[in-house]
Amino acid sequence: MYLTPAARSLSRGTRLATPFVPLVLSATTGTTTAPATSILSSITPTSPVTSPILPLRRPTQARWSSHSPMGTPPANPRKRVTLPMLRDMYAKGDPITMITAHDFPSAHVADAAGMDVILVGDSLAMVALGMEDTSEVVVEEMLLHCRSVARATKAAFTIGDLPMGSYEMSPAQALETAIRFVKEGRMKGVKLEGGREMAPTIQKITEAGIPVLGHVGLTPQRQNSLGGFRVQGKTVSSALRILEDALAVQEAGCFAVVLEAVPPEVAAIITQKLSIPTIGIGAGNGCSGQVLVQVDMTGNFPPGRTIPKFVKKYGDVWGESFRAIEAYRDEVKSRQYPAKEHTYAMPAKELEGFVEAVKNI
């Protein structure tokens, strides 16, 4: 039996303001059939019970549970950000804004705030999963978070970070992982770390039609070989290596490259030498754009936590959340919450009947 959208809404806890009669679709005639008790006055016991399928008017609804997590759609929604749009921004010198997100709420607010690019960074290993570093997170975990971010993102260009161990063994392995990020994770592109040595891998992925964001300078997945999270490019030789890496990933097909923890003068020169955008993180404002970890810049962490020098704390999400939850705790303990306005009324007559009915139970 086919049920109309209105009929299906009943099973989801939606109350209709008007009586409802389900319509049954005939598999042989393509018509809808209504019982004789239909609210349509034109149908009588002697009337034909079949009629052409007509669009149903959306019923008035009263919800008793949470509304859609997306909230009210914006009056003037943004256009979807595309690679041509990003290239046009770069050509005009318009800085590209990028931020990380790791779940539906963090992506929702980033997209609503107008971010050009949302990166599902492997930093979620630490900020969302409580791991020691990014080397612990696996593909399946990244894909779960990518899907969550994709559901919330309506305009920003989304990129998924390929985790350590998912792309280094061969270009074929990298392409297979990248395809999963697009098909299963619903990302528009992928990011991977490394310079000249990753050029064949980047070329393999981009030739398959998947945009790649490069990442050179401080590459956190390789922090053990770098001696920790250290600034890169502080000597002539190391600065030249970063430039060579950036040129190599550009030649391999990257649409942009992240420069992390690089002196601003070096980053500015590298930006001038490239024909693709550079996205700085701890690399000064001479880059084509900037990226930050959302948890860091919104202050969603407890007092006393050390954050990188390049992070500017724009908010105090932890403090506001702590205040709200503490107030909730106190009101529950004192029975101030829930108050009358937070409850649902029962008709007095029905309540009296209920009280009487339970006396003998």
Side-chain angles (χ1 to χ4, degrees):
M1 182 177 73
Y2 170 80
L3 294 180
T4 63
R8 290 197 297 271
S9 70
L10 291 177
S11 63
R12 295 195 293 267
T14 302
R15 189 184 70 175
L16 301 182
T18 58
F20 168 76
V21 177
L23 299 179
V24 181
L25 176 65
S26 170
T28 57
T29 65
T31 57
T32 55
T33 303
T37 54
S38 171
I39 60 171
L40 300 176
S41 59
S42 61
I43 297 180
T44 66
T46 59
S47 303
V49 293
T50 59
S51 61
I53 299 176
L54 297 175
L56 297 178
R57 185 178 63 183
R58 182 181 296 276
T60 303
Q61 297 181 351
R63 291 181 178 269
W64 305 123
S65 60
S66 297
H67 287 260
S68 164
M70 293 301 296
T72 304
N76 298 302
R78 289 195 294 152
K79 291 183 178 179
R80 284 189 176 274
V81 178
T82 63
L83 276 187
M85 289 175 63
L86 293 174
R87 293 190 179 108
D88 186 56
M89 292 172 62
Y90 169 67
K92 293 178 179 178
D94 184 9
I96 297 169
T97 59
M98 184 183 299
I99 198 169
T100 68
H102 59 265
D103 59 9
F104 188 99
S106 59
H108 193 185
V109 67
D111 192 54
M115 287 291 104
D116 300 314
V117 183
I118 292 177
L119 170 66
V120 187
D122 60 0
S123 57
L124 70 81
M126 297 171 285
V127 301
L129 301 178
M131 297 174 176
E132 287 295 322
D133 55 49
T134 61
S135 65
E136 292 185 52
V137 72
V138 298
V139 170
E140 286 69 24
E141 291 166 328
M142 290 296 302
L143 290 176
L144 174 65
H145 288 267
C146 283
R147 288 193 294 271
S148 180
V149 166
R151 293 185 192 106
T153 307
K154 301 303 180 183
F157 193 84
T158 54
I159 299 173
D161 216 345
L162 302 188
M164 182 180 182
S166 70
Y167 64 93
E168 300 92 337
M169 288 187 282
S170 70
Q173 180 211 23
L175 176 57
E176 182 179 2
T177 306
I179 289 173
R180 291 190 67 189
F181 269 67
V182 174
K183 289 179 66 67
E184 300 176 38
R186 297 177 58 204
M187 294 288 100
K188 305 301 182 184
V190 298
K191 182 176 82 67
L192 57 81
E193 297 182 4
R196 289 160 291 178
E197 76 286 357
M198 297 309 300
T201 295
I202 294 168
Q203 184 173 355
K204 182 77 170 179
I205 298 173
T206 56
E207 285 178 348
I210 299 175
V212 176
L213 173 64
H215 187 156
V216 300
L218 171 58
T219 46
Q221 292 179 7
R222 307 179 183 198
Q223 52 106 0
N224 291 325
S225 65
L226 298 175
F229 296 96
R230 296 176 178 274
V231 176
Q232 304 296 302
K234 295 181 72 173
T235 66
V236 173
S237 59
S238 62
L240 284 171
R241 280 197 299 272
I242 296 173
L243 173 58
E244 291 169 358
D245 283 339
L247 288 169
V249 301
Q250 172 183 269
E251 181 67 22
C254 282
F255 73 89
V257 59
V258 171
L259 300 179
E260 180 168 0
V262 175
E265 299 84 0
V266 173
I269 292 173
I270 293 174
T271 300
Q272 294 170 4
K273 295 293 183 180
L274 296 180
S275 58
I276 60 174
T278 58
I279 307 298
I281 178 167
N285 62 10
C287 295
S288 311
Q290 299 293 327
V291 61
L292 281 177
V293 174
Q294 186 175 156
V295 167
D296 291 344
M297 57 83 64
T298 59
N300 195 3
F301 51 83
R305 177 195 169 206
T306 301
I307 58 174
K309 180 181 180 180
F310 58 78
V311 173
K312 179 176 179 179
K313 184 179 173 183
Y314 285 86
D316 184 20
V317 172
W318 172 279
E320 182 60 20
S321 297
F322 187 90
R323 182 205 62 76
I325 295 171
E326 191 177 45
Y328 165 68
R329 179 204 65 195
D330 291 345
E331 288 197 3
V332 170
K333 293 287 188 181
S334 64
R335 296 192 181 277
Q336 291 178 264
Y337 177 84
K340 184 177 181 180
E341 62 266 26
H342 306 123
T343 60
Y344 304 109
M346 183 179 187
K349 185 176 180 180
E350 297 297 328
L351 178 58
E352 291 174 6
F354 176 67
V355 171
E356 187 65 28
V358 300
K359 286 182 177 180
N360 297 323
I361 296 178

